[in-house]
Amino acid sequence: AAPSPGEVWLVRTAPEIVGAAYLGPETFAPDIRNLWFIGVHASARRQGHGRALLGAAEQAARDDGARLLLVETSSNPATAAARACYDACGYGAEARIRDYYAPGDDKVIFRKPLAAS
């Protein structure tokens, strides 16, 4: 099926597919985008692919008129590298919903303003 307006799939190759990202508009705030998915294959991590995908997602959101990009993730130790990447790329932890995914596993929402570039 074709994506809905404002939805974007991104794929990173090196030369095979090593990662992907998916973002779309916030339903009730048309100038905000959510990065619903971003992932890099385990064999390709720590090589800059995640940062490149994140940068491409930010640019796609800017190109579509967004002023903010939101990313949500788990507080689980398994996602510590992702949270560190968001911090290093200029995202701030904006909100936390305790015990969202499971007891002791919070939802953490990151936010980044998108200045025109």
Side-chain angles (χ1 to χ4, degrees):
S4 298
E7 293 180 350
V8 177
W9 272 102
L10 302 165
V11 176
R12 177 89 173 158
T13 57
E16 67 284 342
I17 295 174
V18 295
Y22 169 71
L23 63 148
E26 179 64 36
T27 302
F28 298 107
D31 58 351
I32 296 177
R33 297 295 173 275
N34 288 290
L35 182 60
W36 294 116
F37 169 81
I38 186 168
V40 174
H41 190 276
S43 66
R45 290 185 184 142
R46 306 198 62 80
Q47 298 174 29
H49 300 297
R51 283 179 184 255
L53 277 169
L54 196 53
E58 292 167 9
Q59 191 58 54
R62 273 188 211 95
D63 291 348
D64 200 32
R67 64 182 175 84
L68 290 175
L69 184 59
L70 304 178
V71 183
E72 65 181 58
T73 190
S74 165
S75 67
N76 188 299
T79 63
R83 292 190 309 274
C85 181
Y86 300 139
D87 283 333
C89 290
Y91 289 76
E94 184 73 13
R96 177 179 293 261
I97 301 172
R98 291 174 291 164
D99 303 322
Y100 182 84
Y101 295 107
D105 189 1
D106 306 343
K107 175 196 260 187
V108 182
I109 302 170
F110 286 84
R111 169 190 182 274
K112 184 174 185 178
L114 300 174
S117 61

